[in-house]
Amino acid sequence: MKKVLVSGCFDLLHSGHVEFLAQAARLGDQLFVCIGSDETVFNLKGRPPICHENERKFMLENLRSVHEVRISRGSGHLDFLPEFEEILPNILVVNEDGQSVKKAELCKKYGIKYVVLKREPYENMPTRSTTDLRKVETMPFRIDLCGGWLDQPMVSKYCPGAVITASLEPTISFNNRSGMASSTRNNALKLWGPRLPSGDPVELGRQLFAFDNPPGTVEIAGSQDALGITCPGLNRHDYAGHFWPEKTTAVHDEEVLDFLEKHLFLIPLGPREGDYQVVNNRKITVKKAQNLAIAADDFWTACLEKDVKKLGRAMSTGAKAQWAMFPNMVFPGLFDLIKKYEKLGALGWKLSGAGGGGYLTLIAEKPFEGAISLKIRRKSF
């Protein structure tokens, strides 16, 4: 059997990788792939791979061109040397970026063929590289589902309560000034680049909240914006008169998240006006804050029980409590719009963020024509 060996990181597996491996496999009978360990990748590139070594191994093992995958036990650019000496390949294949004098000398020493392949995409597919894919923006958005405004002390000082948020995959590009925490997300992009770093989600939220509100900030952006972005899944943030919650409780149960995705929809309303001032004319009382806190508790319970009718009622109750405290959230024609979707089957509704535009959030048994379905970000394994 003529054995072919390739080595590399193979992080963010893409069509360029697949075509390279297919070309290498055609040079022999069995293709062996040696991948750099997470430690080796970090030492060579100065950053950890996005995909764990076992995940990279799993994906490569399931390509039809690949016979066997091993995680290299060595280090440096010849980290595959221990595996090379065990496999004793007939051919070592590299791409143009991966060729080196040391690899050529290794092949000469063992008397095996050294092949350098050009980077050529398959047929009409685009040229891909892991470096380019790392630049693709995957920073999440945030949706507040119930209890919004309780992250502001001017509300939660009257009654402690929860804000319910979900972190969203950026499957669409939400409008700025639309209540989807776009300004906080833009600061996250400045702080970390196109994707969230690894680490404890709550601590990342703390960093983003501080970056979002530097010293001297007059209007403090609520911490539910930062935490809603950094904390995957469905989250409950309990506030009691402070800008930072007393605790954050996360739900990653697939049945609960699938239930929300199935019944949660957005109707685009357009960005709010530039001179919009939601806090003007506010009318906050203990009773109104209590109503909002009770609605958030009911919404949370309805999520856990997967009760869509209770979920809709809680969302609408929370929206009414918000509008009673902040009448400027409501815009002309809102109630006519709500009646329209109630006739179409909406069980609950609210406005995204601080209102004045953005999106009408709906709870329903089935989708509406023109509505946006959402994808909740799952916890990484």
Side-chain angles (χ1 to χ4, degrees):
M1 301 291 286
K2 185 183 290 186
K3 292 180 285 187
V4 180
L5 175 67
V6 302
S7 70
C9 174
F10 296 100
D11 196 15
L12 295 178
L13 191 66
H14 54 72
S15 58
H17 288 141
V18 175
E19 175 61 10
F20 166 70
L21 293 170
Q23 289 183 27
R26 288 195 288 268
L27 298 174
D29 301 302
Q30 293 179 329
L31 176 62
F32 293 80
V33 182
C34 294
I35 62 170
S37 66
D38 291 347
E39 181 180 2
T40 295
V41 174
F42 180 82
N43 290 335
L44 289 175
K45 299 179 180 292
R47 53 167 173 73
I50 291 173
C51 296
H52 185 273
E53 58 192 40
N54 290 329
E55 183 181 7
R56 291 182 281 130
K57 181 175 183 288
F58 166 77
M59 289 189 290
L60 289 166
E61 284 174 337
N62 283 278
L63 294 179
R64 63 186 178 189
S65 60
V66 175
H67 173 69
E68 184 179 326
V69 183
R70 302 187 188 187
I71 299 172
S72 299
R73 304 194 302 274
S75 60
H77 289 285
L78 294 182
D79 61 327
F80 61 92
L81 186 56
E83 288 68 36
F84 178 94
E85 292 176 338
E86 291 171 355
I87 297 168
L88 292 177
N90 304 98
I91 305 172
L92 177 66
V93 180
V94 299
N95 62 28
E96 292 173 304
D97 298 342
Q99 60 181 316
S100 71
V101 173
K102 288 185 177 181
K103 291 177 183 177
E105 290 176 346
L106 177 66
C107 291
K108 184 177 180 180
K109 175 182 176 182
Y110 281 84
I112 71 170
K113 190 174 182 179
Y114 182 54
V115 177
V116 180
L117 296 179
K118 292 184 177 181
R119 280 188 174 273
E120 294 180 345
Y122 177 75
E123 292 186 350
N124 296 320
M125 290 187 179
T127 302
R128 295 292 187 197
S129 74
T130 301
T131 300
D132 289 338
L133 289 177
R134 286 182 66 90
K135 297 175 184 177
V136 174
E137 188 180 290
T138 60
M139 186 65 68
F141 285 89
R142 180 286 281 128
I143 185 170
D144 75 291
L145 297 166
C146 200
W149 287 113
L150 283 164
D151 64 334
Q152 293 289 335
M154 63 178 165
V155 177
S156 63
K157 70 179 181 181
Y158 288 94
C159 178
V163 180
I164 315 300
T165 66
S167 181
L168 301 179
E169 297 285 1
T171 52
I172 69 167
S173 181
F174 293 103
N175 293 325
N176 286 326
R177 297 183 59 78
S178 64
M180 304 300 288
S182 54
S183 60
T184 299
R185 182 178 183 270
N186 288 338
N187 278 330
L189 293 170
K190 293 178 184 177
L191 180 62
W192 293 312
R195 57 178 48 85
L196 282 173
S198 59
D200 178 74
V202 174
E203 287 306 309
L204 292 177
R206 194 185 300 274
Q207 294 174 31
L208 180 54
F209 177 65
F211 189 82
D212 211 19
N213 299 283
T217 301
V218 177
E219 294 185 5
I220 303 295
S223 60
Q224 60 123 324
D225 290 354
L227 288 165
I229 288 172
T230 62
C231 295
L234 177 71
N235 288 271
R236 173 188 174 121
H237 316 285
D238 284 277
Y239 292 89
H242 304 286
F243 282 109
W244 193 255
E246 303 300 306
K247 65 176 181 178
T248 289
T249 306
V251 170
H252 301 293
D253 183 87
E254 276 298 316
E255 289 188 4
V256 172
L257 301 185
D258 287 344
F259 164 77
L260 267 179
E261 289 175 341
K262 182 180 178 181
H263 299 295
L264 184 63
F265 308 99
L266 294 184
I267 304 297
L269 303 174
R272 66 177 71 103
E273 298 295 329
D275 59 352
Y276 172 69
Q277 294 294 329
V278 67
V279 295
N280 291 353
N281 195 33
R282 62 184 181 269
K283 301 174 182 178
I284 307 170
T285 66
V286 171
K287 181 61 176 176
K288 293 173 183 177
Q290 287 175 339
N291 289 341
L292 183 56
I294 292 170
D297 283 341
D298 289 345
F299 187 92
W300 182 254
T301 302
C303 286
L304 301 182
E305 294 176 351
K306 299 185 286 294
D307 186 329
V308 66
K309 292 183 179 180
K310 184 176 180 179
L311 193 73
R313 288 195 300 270
M315 177 175 279
S316 299
T317 301
K320 291 175 184 177
Q322 288 181 320
W323 300 344
M325 289 187 284
F326 299 91
N328 284 12
M329 290 181 68
V330 178
F331 58 85
L334 172 62
F335 296 109
D336 290 336
L337 190 63
I338 288 173
K339 287 180 182 177
K340 169 188 171 182
Y341 282 101
E342 282 183 329
K343 290 179 180 178
L344 293 173
L347 301 172
W349 31 261
K350 71 178 293 293
L351 290 171
S352 59
Y359 298 88
L360 180 63
T361 307
L362 300 174
I363 297 294
E365 291 278 8
K366 57 184 180 180
F368 302 100
E369 184 177 354
I372 299 169
S373 295
L374 305 173
K375 178 65 177 176
I376 298 173
R377 182 169 64 96
R378 266 48 172 187
K379 182 180 180 182
S380 300
F381 65 88

